């Protein structure tokens, strides 16, 4: 196994920071200030005649996680590069209609000249701006307009690279067409940029093209085989072969150095795709991956160690007051409470104020996402809670989109029954208020019999009788297609988590993405995350992991693993991740049974926290959001581009990146641990007075004083 690298920790003094900078790991290229130090809207890049093109299949085309990466990074990229940045991808009309505002480049711009040159060859090209933060320039290529040249493109790929593309692989055919169109555009752009620079007495253009994933990597291969003088960067967010191998239930990480990669790719009929990915990896001037664990994987499967690690970030929007996100949690939690009341109607024998909401979400990759050990650990947590904390209930949500027939009738009925009860109670409440007012107006003290009449009691009893049911609450909100073979439902059956009255862990499998139009929840995914207490993502294969990262920036503690990019990143940059609400399960150096035990103990440990401790832990978790901000992490992408430019243009020097200073990126252990109300207190909090543990009352003066909030 790969030896763990030593992690260096920052303290809050200059001498320590300087000493640590001297010991940074080279692969991380830990030099330079935060990216916000370069926010000049492309002023420096324009004077240097430096251009940046970012190429991905998911530019303005929502398919998967790379769309989130490109879209969320667009703002900081535009703030840095301005009009010297251009993003390129395929034109998909259904997405482009809502994602893109079409417009032409200004006259005299080399971009317009290159676009017109390709249009004269019969290619359809759409230009404009992406309707996201930053509004970057877009060039989208209509693949169908160049399909007539597919055989010619394939022939060139075979003659120069000896990579044959099967005729029936439509996805790869599309990638070939897009790659050649982009390569031809960049070649034309460089020629026009050189002419433009000579005519206007500018420096020679320095161009860098950044390609994401194997689909876009075809363009990189073509540029390099045609010897076009453009610096290239290739980023793999997850290796193609790695995904297939992990899906096959192999002991992936313990056998990485033993796989016969060509044979394994051939068995899975992806050898041509693997060759394209590996070719782009080796031809790129700079090769990057999104995490250390993916770099280790690429080193063995793609046979090249990454030059730089480029972690994924998010656009973090900070609140003006620290308690604001706590209030959002309370509001969102109440909406989840409403769902729980409806789903578990007739069986609400647990206190919602003592109920914790855990969740797992993502693509329906049962083993890769760790749903298998999550359900197993929940079964053990159920047994522990029955024995140690019978008054605490955990509701576990599993959100994995899969094929369904329709909504579960019982679940829909529950929400209708609860709505009827609420409407009835509201009507009775209004009538009681009127009677009380009239009685007091006449100078009499109202009695209980005068206020609540017999007909009111009849209405309430009818609603309560309608809530009774003999069956247990369903474990799923939908009728899942082929439910007998569904892996989540099969595991729930095996672990006997059937939502009985005696179970302290309740299960809700929601096989659909969450949206605000959902008739059961009525909230979108972000609001749902804010309302939960703990996100659990014990992934076996997770090159980065946006789900725990999203939890972190929203101040929600999460469970991750040391096989996910996010988990490795947090281990490297935080002295004591658990104290900041980041629980890291070891799925690399211990057996599966031990990992399940560790996960269940983490969840039990979290369940034992009182409300004030959870509030403090959320404050600490939210404090990590700066660590995941693109303003902090975007610097690694800049450094990758600088390194590529220096490979092609040896005279290029970026002094700020090489010699600038960096803000503290590593979080030391909190001064108070275990959680305590103030950072200056070194012991656990004293027992709370009655009512002071109310999680929804964080605005109260005493609570704010305890939390150290002014």
């Amino acid at each position: 196994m790969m030896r763990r690298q030593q992690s260096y920790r920052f303290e809050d003094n200059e001498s320590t920071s300087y000493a640590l900078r001297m010991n940074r790991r080279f692969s991380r290229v830990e030099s330079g200030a935060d990216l916000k130090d370069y926010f000049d809207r492309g002023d420096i890049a324009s004077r240097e005649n430096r251009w940046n093109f970012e190429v991905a299949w998911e530019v303005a085309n929502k398919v998967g996680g790379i769309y989130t990466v490109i879209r969320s990074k667009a703002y900081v990229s535009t703030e840095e590069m301005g009009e010297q940045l251009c993003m390129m991808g395929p034109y998909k009309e259904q997405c482009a209609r809502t994602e893109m505002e079409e417009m032409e480049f200004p006259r005299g711009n080399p971009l317009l000249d290159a676009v017109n040159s390709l249009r004269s060859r019969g290619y359809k090209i759409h230009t404009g701006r992406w309707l996201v933060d930053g509004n970057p320039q877009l060039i989208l290529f209509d693949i169908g307009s160049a399909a007539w040249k597919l055989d010619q493109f394939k022939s060139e790929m075979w003659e120069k690279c000896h990579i044959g593309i099967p005729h029936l692989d439509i996805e790869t055919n599309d990638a070939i067409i897009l790659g050649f169109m982009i390569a031809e555009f960049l070649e034309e752009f460089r020629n026009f940029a050189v002419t433009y620079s000579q005519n206007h007495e500018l420096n020679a253009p320095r161009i860098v093209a950044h390609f994401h994933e194997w689909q876009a990597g075809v363009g990189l291969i073509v540029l390099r085989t045609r010897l076009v003088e453009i610096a290239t960067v290739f980023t793999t967010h997850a290796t193609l072969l790695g995904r297939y191998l992990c899906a096959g239930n192999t002991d992936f990480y313990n056998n990485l150095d033993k796989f016969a990669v060509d044979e394994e790719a051939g068995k899975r009929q992806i050898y041509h795709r693997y060759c394209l990915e590996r070719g782009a990896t080796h031809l790129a001037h700079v090769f990057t991956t999104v995490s250390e664990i993916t770099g280790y994987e690429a080193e063995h499967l793609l046979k090249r160690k990454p030059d730089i690690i480029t972690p994924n970030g998010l656009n973090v929007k900070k609140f003006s007051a620290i308690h604001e996100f706590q209030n959002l949690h309370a509001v969102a939690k109440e909406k989840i409470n409403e769902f729980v009341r409806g789903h578990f109607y007739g069986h609400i024998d647990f206190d919602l104020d003592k109920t914790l909401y855990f969740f797992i979400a993502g693509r329906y990759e049962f083993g890769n996402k760790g749903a298998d050990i999550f359900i197993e650990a929940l079964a053990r947590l159920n047994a522990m809670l029955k024995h140690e904390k019978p008054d605490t209930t955990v509701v576990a949500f599993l959100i994995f989109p899969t094929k369904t027939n329709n909504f579960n009738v019982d679940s829909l009925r529950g929400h209708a029954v609860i709505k009827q009860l609420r409407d009835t109670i509201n009507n009775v409440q209004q009538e009681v208020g009127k009677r009380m007012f009239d009685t007091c107006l006449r100078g009499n003290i109202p009695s209980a019999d005068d206020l609540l009449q017999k007909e009111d009691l009849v209405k309430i009893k009818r609603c309560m009788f309608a809530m009774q049911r003999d069956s247990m609450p369903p474990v799923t909100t939908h009728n899942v297609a082929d439910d007998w073979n569904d892996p989540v439902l099969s595991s729930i059956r095996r672990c006997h988590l059937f939502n009985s009255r005696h179970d302290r862990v309740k299960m809700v499998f929601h096989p659909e993405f969450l949206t605000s139009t959902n008739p059961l929840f009525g909230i979108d995914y972000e609001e749902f995350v804010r309302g939960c207490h703990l996100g659990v993502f014990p992934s076996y294969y997770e090159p980065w992991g946006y789900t725990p990262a999203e939890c972190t920036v929203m101040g929600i503690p999460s469970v991750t693993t040391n096989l996910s990019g996010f988990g490795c990143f947090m281990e490297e940059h935080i002295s004591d991740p658990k104290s900041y609400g980041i629980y890291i399960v070891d799925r690399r150096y211990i057996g599966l049974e031990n990992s399940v035990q560790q996960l269940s103990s983490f969840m039990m440990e979290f369940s034992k926290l009182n409300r004030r401790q959870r509030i403090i832990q959320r404050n600490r978790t939210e404090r990590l959001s700066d660590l995941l901000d693109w303003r902090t992490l975007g610097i690694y992408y800049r450094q990758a581009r600088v390194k590529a430019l220096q490979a092609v243009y040896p005279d290029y020097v970026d002094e700020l990146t090489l010699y600038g200073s960096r803000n503290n990126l590593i979080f030391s252990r909190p001064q108070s641990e275990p959680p305590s109300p103030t950072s200056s207190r070194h012991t656990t909090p004293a027992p709370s007075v009655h009512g002071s543990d109310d999680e929804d009352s964080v605005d109260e003066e005493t609570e704010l004083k305890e939390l150290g909030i002014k």
Side-chain angles (χ1 to χ4, degrees), residues 357-494:
Y357 297 138
F358 296 177
F359 81 100
I360 184 174
R363 287 189 304 273
Y364 200 2
E365 298 175 4
F366 183 68
N368 285 354
K369 295 297 181 184
D372 50 351
I373 75 166
F374 179 45
I375 296 173
E376 180 65 36
L378 285 172
R380 302 183 187 194
L381 176 66
N382 188 35
M384 288 189 282
L385 287 174
K386 287 180 183 179
H387 178 68
E388 298 182 39
K389 290 204 71 177
D391 59 336
T392 298
T393 303
V394 170
V395 178
F397 295 93
L398 297 93
I399 303 173
F400 293 118
T402 188
K403 291 183 179 179
T404 61
N405 295 323
N406 44 44
F407 285 100
N408 188 308
V409 175
D410 203 20
S411 187
L412 288 172
R413 181 176 183 273
H415 288 82
V417 168
I418 294 301
K419 184 179 183 301
Q420 182 184 15
L421 175 63
R422 176 176 286 101
D423 292 343
T424 300
I425 295 296
N426 287 338
N427 291 335
V428 170
Q429 186 179 357
Q430 289 180 359
E431 292 298 324
V432 168
K434 290 179 182 178
R435 294 180 195 126
M436 182 181 294
F437 177 77
D438 291 339
T439 303
C440 292
L441 194 64
R442 290 192 294 268
N444 301 323
I445 300 297
S447 65
D449 293 336
D450 294 334
L451 298 180
L452 195 61
Q453 297 181 354
K454 186 175 181 180
E455 61 182 25
D456 297 328
L457 289 173
V458 170
K459 292 178 183 178
I460 294 173
K461 287 179 180 179
R462 289 180 66 177
C463 289
M464 293 183 65
F465 291 151
M467 288 173 56
Q468 296 177 357
R469 65 177 178 187
D470 298 326
S471 62
M472 289 184 290
V475 296
T476 177
T477 59
H478 292 63
N479 295 325
V480 178
D482 194 20
D483 67 337
W484 190 250
N485 295 314
D486 183 83
V488 165
L489 295 179
S490 297
S491 292
I492 290 174
R493 295 186 194 103
R494 179 177 56 80

Side-chain angles (χ1 to χ4, degrees), residues 54-63 66-67 70 87-97 99-100 124-127 130 138-145 171 173-179 181-182 212 215-216:
E54 197 143 4
V55 185
W57 188 264
E58 299 188 31
V59 168
N61 178 31
K62 189 173 183 178
V63 178
I66 300 172
Y67 172 86
I70 304 296
M87 296 188 173
M88 301 193 291
Y91 178 76
K92 301 292 183 180
E93 186 177 0
Q94 187 173 1
C95 292
R97 254 182 283 162
E99 299 255 354
M100 179 186 188
K124 289 184 180 179
I125 300 178
H126 300 261
T127 61
W130 197 355
L138 274 186
I139 301 177
L140 302 182
F141 298 82
D142 189 330
I143 294 172
S145 65
E171 185 178 0
N173 287 338
D174 288 347
I176 291 291
I177 296 171
L178 176 66
M181 293 178 78
I182 286 174
H212 295 264
Q215 295 102 319

Side-chain angles (χ1 to χ4, degrees), residues 84 101 124 159 189 216 379 521 585 609 612 637:
Q84 303 297 108
E101 179 184 8
K124 289 184 180 179
E159 290 172 2
F189 172 79
F521 285 90
V585 175
L609 297 178
R612 178 163 295 135
Y637 276 84

